[in-house]
Amino acid sequence: AKALLKDSVKRGGGSIQMRDVVKIYPGSTVHALDDFNLDIKPGEMVALIGSSGSGKSTLMRHIAGLMPGDADGGRIEVAQHLIQDRGVISRDIRTMRAEIGMVFQQFNLYPHLTVLENVTLAPIKVRGMGKKEATDLAMELLGRVGIARQAAKRPSEISGGQQQRVAIARSLAMQPRAMLFDEPTSALDPEMINEVLSCMKDLAKDGMTMVCVTHEMGFARE
């Protein structure tokens, strides 16, 4: 499990490159992204700030290949793997989605599964990992984010800050090349924000490439 964890961080040292990306929503003249360019180096942590509706979440979803339909132009690469070119999504997008961890505002945990089961599900189903191997890795990651003792509980039995840390561990279990955070603290009470911030700072120290959308200026500064 420790070897897999180290490999996760090593593989996480992926660059993110966007060239001339354009996104215009159907029936609108508003450019959510207008010839957008971005370069993020391996192991770099970048905070995206801006007013609501300025295109931050659209940008993140394009990096992850999660937008419905293609962009209207541009090229996106993550860890030198093509996500889209000239607005057309790569044929290998399903494979690449597994290489990009994304943590949303809402935790999106399966309520009927335990914390441990939430973390092991994707590695077993998508990566084809054995149950014992997945469990060992999940417990290592849950320990890393400080909630190994909650492994047998269901999401409804833990706090919002703990649920968000489960979501982070779940993304890390897929051994991603980069981690994307879309306002990860906006649904949390103020006292829980530090829990998630501490977890993200530890990831940054380990060399994980990270992009975080946030309205919290203090959070971005940290």
Side-chain angles (χ1 to χ4, degrees):
K2 290 183 178 179
L4 284 171
L5 190 58
K6 290 179 180 178
D7 184 56
S8 174
V9 173
K10 183 179 179 181
R11 285 159 49 81
S15 60
I16 297 174
Q17 186 181 80
M18 304 181 74
R19 288 288 177 270
D20 305 320
V21 178
V22 176
K23 178 62 180 179
I24 308 171
Y25 283 105
S28 170
T29 59
V30 176
H31 287 63
L33 300 173
D34 190 6
D35 287 330
F36 188 85
N37 291 274
L38 178 69
D39 282 288
I40 297 176
K41 299 175 183 178
E44 189 174 7
M45 183 174 181
V46 174
L48 297 179
I49 59 175
S51 59
S52 295
S54 60
K56 302 185 302 298
S57 292
T58 298
L59 173 100
M60 296 284 272
R61 288 173 183 272
H62 271 303
I63 294 174
L66 292 176
M67 285 297 294
D70 301 332
D72 295 293
R75 182 181 179 90
I76 302 174
E77 291 184 2
V78 176
Q80 299 181 333
H81 288 266
L82 183 65
I83 300 295
Q84 70 176 45
D85 188 21
R86 288 172 288 186
V88 179
I89 294 289
S90 168
R91 292 181 180 179
D92 297 327
I93 191 60
R94 288 188 178 182
T95 301
M96 280 309 302
R97 280 189 189 130
E99 306 288 344
I100 303 169
M102 189 157 186
V103 179
F104 299 91
Q105 299 176 40
Q106 302 301 324
F107 322 123
N108 297 322
L109 301 177
Y110 291 107
H112 63 292
L113 300 180
T114 65
V115 164
L116 179 61
E117 290 168 339
N118 266 280
V119 178
T120 59
L121 183 64
I124 292 172
K125 296 292 186 181
V126 179
R127 294 284 191 196
M129 194 178 290
K131 185 174 181 180
K132 184 182 184 306
E133 187 181 21
T135 298
D136 288 347
L137 177 60
M139 290 305 299
E140 192 82 31
L141 292 170
L142 289 171
R144 184 181 185 186
V145 299
I147 50 172
R149 292 183 179 180
Q150 315 298 331
K153 294 182 179 180
R154 285 184 167 77
S156 61
E157 299 174 307
I158 60 178
S159 71
Q162 289 173 325
Q163 289 185 57
Q164 193 62 292
R165 284 187 280 167
V166 174
I168 293 171
R170 180 179 59 182
S171 290
L172 287 174
M174 290 296 287
Q175 303 169 66
R177 294 171 182 262
M179 288 282 286
L180 310 178
F181 297 85
D182 191 0
E183 298 191 46
T185 60
S186 65
L188 300 178
D189 293 331
E191 63 269 21
M192 296 179 184
I193 291 176
N194 281 337
E195 294 182 21
V196 178
L197 174 60
S198 176
C199 179
M200 292 173 65
K201 287 169 73 174
D202 286 342
L203 286 177
K205 290 176 184 176
D206 286 342
M208 176 65 74
T209 303
M210 301 168 66
V211 186
C212 180
V213 169
T214 182
H215 286 294
E216 306 263 359
M217 295 305 296
F219 186 85
R221 188 177 298 110
E222 287 281 350

